[in-house]
């Protein structure tokens, strides 16, 4: 079965650079979520999209932005990177409604900011 | 406010022992879902189970079983006859209808199964 695809899997950036993370949800899933997991921490919700519209926002820095495109893939754009942005970034997708609220996670993008 | 507490930071057991991972949640919503995910050293999050707030039936899947009790706001996870491959971080998570279904994770329990 098709899973959530994230690219790149690993990314190394310098401070103050920008990064773009991509997410391709499971086909026919209508909702995408982004989470950030710092070292030794639990995943923290950043932002979500339902049918290409932002549906919720968590503790996402103003330096970050995201969108969902017409083909349902999503991108997380991160600017002015800081050392503290080093983390594992997960994208998840789900099909909301009819009891199908389970989120399926991609393998994550591991971002290291030097 | 919604919250998930996993009081056990790390548990070590010897292979073939049974182990229970605790999860306590707080929510004001009447419609909510509870989940367990496994995060092995490779880093991915693997879905294990979902329970909705209207279904308190316990579930068993192979060596895994889950005990959901609304009266104590707990959703505990038991591994029977643990194996080395069970070594991972296990997260309990809560999502609410009123919260657009985003996940609130507990801090995780690191399980080490020793051979």
């Amino acid at each position: 079965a098709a899973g959530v695809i994230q690219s790149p899997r690993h990314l190394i950036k310098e401070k103050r650079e920008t990064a773009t993370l991509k997410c391709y949800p499971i086909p026919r899933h209508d909702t995408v979520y982004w989470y950030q997991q710092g070292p030794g921490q639990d995943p923290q919700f950043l932002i979500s999209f339902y049918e290409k519209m932002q549906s919720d926002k968590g503790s996402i820095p103003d330096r970050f932005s995201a969108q969902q495109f017409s083909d349902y893939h999503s991108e997380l754009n991160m600017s002015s990177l800081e050392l503290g942005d080093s983390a594992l970034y997960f994208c998840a997708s789900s099909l909301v409604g009819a009891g199908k609220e389970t989120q399926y996670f991609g393998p994550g993008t591991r971002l290291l900011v030097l | 406010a919604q919250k998930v507490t996993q009081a056990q930071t790390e548990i070590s057991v010897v292979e073939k022992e049974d182990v229970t991972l605790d999860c306590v949640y707080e929510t004001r919503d009447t419609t909510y879902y509870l989940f367990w995910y496994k995060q092995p050293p490779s880093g991915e999050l693997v879905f294990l189970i979902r329970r909705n707030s209207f279904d308190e039936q316990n579930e068993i899947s192979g060596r895994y079983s889950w005990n959901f009790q609304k009266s104590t706001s707990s959703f505990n996870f038991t591994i029977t006859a643990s194996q080395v491959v069970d070594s991972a971080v296990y997260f309990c998570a809560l999502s609410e209808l009123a919260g657009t279904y985003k996940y609130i994770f507990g801090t995780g329990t690191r399980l080490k199964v020793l051979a």
Side-chain angles (χ1 to χ4, degrees):
Chain A
V4 176
I5 298 171
Q6 290 187 249
S7 68
R9 294 291 308 278
H10 302 273
L11 193 56
I12 300 176
K13 291 286 185 178
E14 299 279 342
K15 277 171 49 178
R16 293 180 287 278
E17 286 190 324
T18 61
T20 297
L21 278 52
K22 296 185 177 182
C23 169
Y24 297 86
I26 292 172
R28 292 185 296 281
H29 278 195
D30 53 17
T31 305
V32 166
Y33 302 83
W34 286 96
Y35 294 85
Q36 177 193 56
Q37 184 179 25
Q41 299 181 0
D42 54 288
Q44 295 289 317
F45 170 72
L46 292 177
I47 196 167
S48 62
F49 294 88
Y50 170 66
E51 286 291 346
K52 293 161 281 185
M53 298 288 290
Q54 181 181 309
S55 55
D56 201 353
K57 199 171 180 180
S59 48
I60 182 170
D62 292 339
R63 300 177 288 106
F64 294 7
S65 65
Q67 57 181 322
Q68 187 177 30
F69 295 86
S70 57
D71 64 351
Y72 288 89
H73 94 273
S74 179
E75 295 183 3
L76 178 65
N77 298 293
M78 310 159 70
S79 62
S80 303
L81 287 169
E82 302 174 355
L83 296 180
D85 296 329
S86 295
L88 187 53
Y89 291 83
F90 287 106
C91 171
S93 72
S94 70
L95 182 62
V96 175
K100 297 179 181 178
E101 290 76 14
T102 302
Q103 293 181 29
Y104 293 91
F105 286 80
T109 293
R110 196 172 294 275
L111 172 66
L112 178 61
V113 181
L114 302 175
Chain B
Q2 61 273 57
K3 186 179 178 182
V4 177
T5 301
Q6 293 181 256
Q8 304 151 308
T9 305
E10 184 170 313
I11 300 176
S12 291
V13 298
V14 177
E15 211 172 13
K16 297 183 184 176
E17 285 186 355
D18 299 347
V19 58
T20 296
L21 309 182
D22 298 333
C23 173
V24 175
Y25 63 93
E26 294 176 32
T27 177
R28 280 184 240 168
D29 208 341
T30 56
T31 301
Y32 57 89
Y33 297 84
L34 295 164
F35 304 83
W36 277 96
Y37 282 82
K38 174 182 180 180
Q39 187 172 44
S42 51
E44 70 270 25
L45 284 167
V46 179
F47 166 73
L48 295 178
I49 191 170
R50 180 191 76 203
R51 264 288 169 267
N52 70 49
S53 52
F54 302 108
D55 181 5
E56 284 196 71
Q57 189 172 8
N58 292 326
E59 182 159 335
I60 298 175
S61 176
R63 296 184 297 108
Y64 296 169
S65 62
W66 292 269
N67 184 357
F68 176 29
Q69 292 194 334
K70 287 180 73 171
S71 60
T72 56
S73 297
S74 65
F75 185 43
N76 297 336
F77 172 31
T78 297
I79 302 175
T80 302
S82 60
Q83 300 176 0
V84 173
V85 293
D86 296 327
S87 297
V89 178
Y90 290 85
F91 289 100
C92 180
L94 165 71
S95 76
E96 303 166 314
L97 173 62
T100 64
Y101 297 117
K102 64 177 178 291
Y103 281 8
I104 307 298
F105 285 90
T107 50
T109 297
R110 180 177 299 276
L111 174 64
K112 293 184 178 180
V113 181
L114 309 172

